[in-house]
């Protein structure tokens, strides 16, 4: 079976949604991502968990969580892999990073991302930040 994005060699946007920077958007993002891949797909649960964590971080730690803030979730297929991108309204120059484990409730989001994604990173997009994570195409 040929994966989406392999046949043409060009990235294919499977879906994209812009949400308000509110806590309830985390659940909307999970549902959106679940609907983009077939039930039982090998990377579905990991992709949804990483999406949930990155959207939650955008709402909690960036200007997306302020009144009028927004974030965008996109899933892209490219050369047999999936790339999840969450674009937030920026955090005044602060960037996502792995925090040392301290046993508390906070600071686990990017550790989860690091554990579940094949690789991850971020890039600047003007004042906004795009956090991306890649997964095997399955």
């Amino acid at each position: 079976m040929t994966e989406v994005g392999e046949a043409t060699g060009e990235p294919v946007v499977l879906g994209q949604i812009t949400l308000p920077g509110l806590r309830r958007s985390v659940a909307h993002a999970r549902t959106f991502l679940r609907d983009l891949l077939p039930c039982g797909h090998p990377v579905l649960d990991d992709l949804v968990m990483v999406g949930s964590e990155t959207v939650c971080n955008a709402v909690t730690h960036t200007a997306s969580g302020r009144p009028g803030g927004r974030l965008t979730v996109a899933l892209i297929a490219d050369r047999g892999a999936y790339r999840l991108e969450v674009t937030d309204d920026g955090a005044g120059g602060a960037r996502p990073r792995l925090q040392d484990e301290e046993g508390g409730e906070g600071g686990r989001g990017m550790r989860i991302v690091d554990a579940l994604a094949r690789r991850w990173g971020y890039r600047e997009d003007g004042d906004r930040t795009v956090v991306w994570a890649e997964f095997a195409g399955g």
Side-chain angles (χ1 to χ4, degrees):
M1 177 170 97
T2 302
E3 290 289 327
V4 175
E6 275 186 356
T8 65
E10 295 293 322
V12 176
V13 177
L14 300 178
Q16 181 172 310
I17 188 171
T18 298
L19 299 165
L22 304 171
R23 287 260 179 228
R24 70 174 181 247
S25 291
V26 176
H28 291 295
R30 280 194 301 265
T31 300
F32 169 74
L33 291 168
R34 281 209 177 279
D35 288 345
L36 292 177
L37 294 177
C39 185
H41 191 285
V43 300
L44 181 60
D45 290 338
D46 290 349
L47 191 141
V48 170
M49 175 63 79
V50 168
S52 181
E53 290 297 331
T54 52
V55 168
C56 184
N57 282 349
V59 171
T60 304
H61 301 294
T62 77
S64 291
R66 295 183 189 146
R70 70 192 195 298
L71 57 97
T72 301
V73 179
L75 184 62
I76 301 155
D78 188 12
R79 293 183 289 275
Y82 294 102
R83 183 177 182 101
L84 170 68
E85 295 187 350
V86 176
T87 305
D88 63 52
D89 285 343
R95 300 294 178 220
R97 61 180 174 83
L98 290 177
Q99 293 183 3
D100 292 333
E101 189 153 350
E102 298 173 3
E105 286 294 314
R108 295 184 183 159
M110 295 314 294
R111 296 182 74 76
I112 291 169
V113 172
D114 190 59
L116 297 178
R118 181 164 64 180
R119 62 188 198 121
W120 70 274
Y122 65 87
R123 69 178 184 275
E124 296 177 19
D125 183 14
D127 290 338
R128 304 186 90 204
T129 302
V130 180
V131 178
W132 56 266
E134 291 181 354
F135 301 85

